[in-house]
Amino acid sequence: MMRAMREKKDMSQQAVALEIGVERSTVAKWESGKSRPRAELLPKLAKLFGCSIEELLVPGGPEKTA
C-alpha cells in the first residue's frame, strides 16, 4: 500500500523519510508490514501522498477504497 503510493509520487524511501522526519529504515518497515506509522505521523503521510488518513489505513491503499 504505502510502497505503491510512494512510487506513484516517484519518491525514494529516503525522500519520504526526510519529509516525515523518520529514518529510511522506518519507511522500509512500514512498507514491509513489520511496523506501522505512529498516529501523529498519519496526517503528514496523508498530505505527502495526497490521500486521506482513512485511505492510508485501508489494506491496499487509496485504490482499494470505494
Side-chain angles (χ1 to χ4, degrees):
M1 140 187 87
M2 197 169 301
R3 181 178 178 176
M5 288 188 264
R6 175 179 61 78
E7 290 176 344
K8 189 174 182 179
K9 291 286 187 178
D10 197 30
M11 296 181 76
S12 66
Q13 287 180 342
Q14 184 65 37
V16 172
L18 288 171
E19 189 75 28
I20 301 301
V22 298
E23 297 289 326
R24 186 211 54 82
S25 60
T26 301
V27 176
K29 288 177 185 177
W30 295 342
E31 290 184 359
S32 69
K34 291 182 180 178
S35 69
R36 292 184 166 199
R38 293 187 319 265
E40 63 267 19
L41 296 177
L42 292 175
K44 289 182 182 180
L45 286 166
K47 183 176 181 180
L48 180 65
F49 293 135
C51 66
S52 69
I53 292 172
E54 291 78 18
E55 288 172 316
L56 284 173
L57 300 175
V58 172
E63 51 278 347
K64 295 291 185 182
T65 58

